[in-house]
């Protein structure tokens, strides 16, 4: 799969998005229930209204071409976006038009506060779920065609996604996909991603089609995840109701990798064993850490921080190799993600490479946590480059002792 250049992608994406919205049919005067609810919340909550209004002013003062100058103009644009399908785009924010609209605000002083508000994120989650419902419908197939430059099967898009690896039928309308989400969660053809050493439990494989982002050792129970090096804070990652679950991983190791929006977005078991925990954690969608600075494809540079604050799913597997023991997989939604879908249950027995869930849309990241002393070596070592091609699903990422 082709790599994707991240630099300066948000301004390019935003300009293309605004041009597309300008020529589309005028937005209706009626806001969607979710957007209307957010408008009402901002009307009643003076602090959130202040944060959003000031973030817009701060971004404009910094010279960003936002395409809107007020809270209501932004809400109207968001309302229009969530009624439309997602075109292909060569920037890194492909598939993330809301992210493109909000990106300049995310790194403003008032933006940091706004996007960390639990009340704001709950309201925004409703909007993203409304959009997901549309993306589940046949009406979302608009750009599932071969028409350049926006069609997902045009030559450039095909080169980026290598659709020949996936189950599809080019002779059928939309290549046989029934909706945008059906395309986004497309399945590999049998044999496209063979699993390394399927019977050797010491070989741990990539759970996703993802580019390595970070490796960290000596994990701490509680750490300052918002600081420059974004250390993993186990108690915050697993969330307060499950804090005891983090105890086996204290002093252990973490492997994190990033999924671009055009990558394969299903999750697979990195080890063989039994699922002993699976649950979702509510969180942020567009929050950045201050130490990342301006991120033209935000929140890509805040991935360590996001493991502790963003909407995420946790799946813990008790490996059949008892010297490995518990392995925790944390799948983190970024930006447009509003649905982290777990497809296994507590007690499910999985073999290495079996599917355990999927992201519904957008860019995303994931971590795999190991107990101390388990990992002999990681195959991939820093420094890492997010522009590098992703490690294939099922390829070896680590060898256990």
């Amino acid at each position: 799969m082709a790599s994707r250049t991240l630099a300066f992608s948000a301004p390019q994406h935003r300009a293309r998005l605004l041009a597309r919205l300008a020529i589309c049919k005028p937005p209706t005067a009626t806001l969607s229930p979710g957007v209307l609810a957010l408008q009402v919340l901002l009307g009643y909550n003076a602090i959130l209204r202040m944060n959003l209004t000031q973030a817009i002013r701060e971004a404009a003062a910094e010279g960003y071409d936002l395409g809107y100058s007020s809270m209501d103009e932004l809400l109207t644009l968001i309302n229009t976006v969530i009624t439309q399908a997602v075109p292909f785009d060569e920037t890194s924010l492909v598939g993330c038009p809301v992210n493109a609209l909000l990106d300049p605000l995310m790194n403003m002083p008032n933006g940091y506060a706004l996007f960390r508000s639990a009340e704001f994120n709950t309201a925004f989650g409703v909007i993203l779920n409304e959009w997901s419902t549309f993306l589940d419908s046949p009406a979302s197939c608009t750009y599932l065609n071969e028409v350049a430059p926006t069609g997902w099967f045009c030559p450039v898009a095909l080169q980026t996604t290598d659709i020949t690896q996936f189950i599809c039928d080019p002779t059928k309308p939309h290549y046989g996909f029934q909706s945008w989400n059906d395309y986004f969660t497309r399945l590999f053809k049998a044999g496209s991603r063979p699993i390394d050493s399927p019977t050797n439990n010491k070989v741990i494989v990539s759970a996703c089609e993802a580019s390595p982002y970070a490796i960290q050792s000596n994990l701490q129970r509680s750490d300052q995840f918002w600081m420059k090096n974004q250390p993993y804070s186990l108690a915050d990652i697993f969330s307060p109701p499950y804090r005891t679950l983090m105890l086996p991983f204290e002093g252990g190791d973490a492997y994190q990798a990033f999924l671009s929006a055009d990558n394969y977005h299903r999750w697979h078991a990195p080890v063989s064993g039994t699922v002993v925990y699976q649950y979702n954690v509510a969180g942020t969608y567009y929050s950045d850490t201050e130490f990342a600075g301006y991120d033209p494809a935000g929140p890509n540079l805040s991935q360590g921080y996001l493991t502790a604050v963003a909407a995420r799913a946790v799946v813990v597997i008790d490996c059949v190799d008892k010297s490995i023991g518990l392995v925790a997989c944390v799948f983190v939604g970024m930006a447009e993600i509003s649905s982290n879908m777990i497809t296994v249950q507590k007690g499910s027995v999985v073999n290495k490479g079996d599917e355990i869930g999927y992201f519904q849309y957008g860019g995303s990241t994931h971590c795999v946590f190991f107990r101390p002393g388990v990992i002999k070596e990681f195959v991939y070592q820093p420094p890492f480059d997010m522009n590098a091609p992703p490690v294939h699903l099922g390829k070896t990422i680590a060898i256990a002792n």
Side-chain angles (χ1 to χ4, degrees):
M1 186 173 293
S3 62
R4 181 173 292 283
T5 300
L6 300 179
F8 308 113
S9 58
Q12 296 169 7
H13 190 114
R14 189 163 52 255
R16 296 179 191 183
L17 169 65
L18 292 170
R20 177 166 58 86
L21 295 180
I23 63 175
C24 73
K25 64 179 182 179
T28 62
T30 303
L31 299 178
S32 79
V35 177
L36 179 60
L38 178 59
Q39 184 184 59
V40 171
L41 170 64
L42 293 168
Y44 278 96
N45 190 314
I47 293 176
L48 293 181
R49 185 171 70 255
M50 174 192 70
N51 287 152
L52 179 53
T53 301
Q54 287 295 96
I56 292 172
R57 290 175 179 171
E58 289 163 352
E62 289 288 332
Y64 293 107
D65 183 9
L66 301 177
Y68 51 88
S69 59
S70 69
M71 178 182 75
D72 286 336
E73 288 180 4
L74 172 59
L75 292 178
T76 298
L77 287 172
I78 292 172
N79 190 67
T80 304
V81 166
I82 67 169
T83 64
Q84 296 187 2
V86 182
F88 173 74
D89 189 292
E90 293 186 65
T91 70
S92 67
L93 287 180
V94 58
C96 301
V98 177
N99 198 157
L101 291 174
L102 298 180
D103 190 76
L105 310 186
M106 290 158 59
N107 298 110
M108 295 299 116
N110 277 275
Y112 290 124
L114 175 70
F115 295 120
R116 287 172 183 153
S117 163
E119 198 169 6
F120 180 86
N121 279 290
T122 297
F124 217 97
V126 173
I127 294 171
L128 294 177
N129 283 329
E130 286 181 340
W131 192 27
S132 184
T133 298
F134 171 77
L135 295 177
D136 275 330
S137 72
S140 67
C141 291
T142 305
Y143 297 104
L144 297 184
N145 58 45
E146 299 175 341
V147 180
T150 56
W152 283 91
F153 309 126
C154 74
V156 175
L158 290 178
Q159 183 180 8
T160 300
T161 60
D162 193 2
I163 197 68
T164 60
Q165 304 174 94
F166 299 95
I167 298 173
C168 64
D169 187 346
T171 67
K172 293 182 178 179
H174 317 302
Y175 278 44
F177 296 106
Q178 302 303 305
S179 68
W180 157 256
N181 274 339
D182 186 31
Y183 166 73
F184 187 77
T185 58
R186 59 196 178 273
L187 295 165
F188 279 122
K189 292 177 180 177
S192 292
R193 291 295 185 269
I195 306 302
D196 283 355
S197 306
T199 61
N200 184 350
N201 292 314
K202 299 295 185 184
V203 175
I204 298 160
V205 301
S206 179
C208 296
E209 193 90 353
S211 300
Y213 176 80
I215 290 174
Q216 192 174 118
S217 300
N218 192 27
L219 304 177
Q220 299 299 301
R221 181 180 303 196
S222 180
D223 215 329
Q224 298 183 47
F225 58 84
W226 57 88
M227 300 302 284
K228 186 174 182 179
N229 61 347
Q230 300 177 52
Y232 300 106
S233 181
L234 294 172
D236 297 294
I237 292 168
F238 286 98
S239 79
Y242 295 92
R243 285 196 172 191
T244 57
L245 184 55
M246 57 122 190
L247 296 176
F249 303 103
E250 190 173 0
D253 300 297
Y255 168 88
Q256 185 168 8
F258 167 71
L259 296 78
S260 175
D262 49 27
N263 288 159
Y264 173 79
H265 266 66
R266 292 179 180 266
W267 328 324
H268 295 250
V271 296
S272 297
T274 302
V275 176
V276 291
Y277 289 93
Q278 57 86 17
Y279 58 95
N280 285 87
V281 182
T284 65
Y285 299 106
Y286 297 96
S287 179
D288 269 354
T289 174
E290 287 86 341
F291 281 96
Y294 174 62
D295 182 355
N300 285 356
L301 300 182
S302 297
Q303 290 181 56
Y305 159 84
L306 292 178
T307 62
V309 303
R312 55 200 181 275
V314 179
V315 179
V316 181
I317 300 170
D318 187 7
C319 186
V320 294
D321 185 330
K322 297 308 175 187
S323 65
I324 296 177
L326 297 178
V327 174
C329 307
V330 179
F331 302 97
V332 184
M334 293 168 57
E336 259 68 328
I337 301 285
S338 64
S339 296
N340 302 321
M341 311 297 290
I342 302 172
T343 56
V344 289
Q345 303 296 324
K346 182 176 181 179
S348 295
V349 176
V350 294
N351 291 316
K352 184 165 51 176
D354 286 352
E355 183 184 318
I356 57 177
Y358 59 92
F359 292 117
Q360 201 139 26
Y361 53 92
S364 38
T365 189
H366 79 289
C367 279
V368 185
F369 296 99
F370 304 95
R371 297 185 307 120
V374 163
I375 299 301
K376 179 180 180 181
E377 63 175 328
F378 284 103
V379 172
Y380 302 93
Q381 293 292 330
F384 295 124
D385 179 6
M386 283 193 296
N387 292 317
V391 175
H392 282 186
L393 170 72
K395 298 302 290 183
T396 305
I397 60 168
I399 305 297
N401 285 307

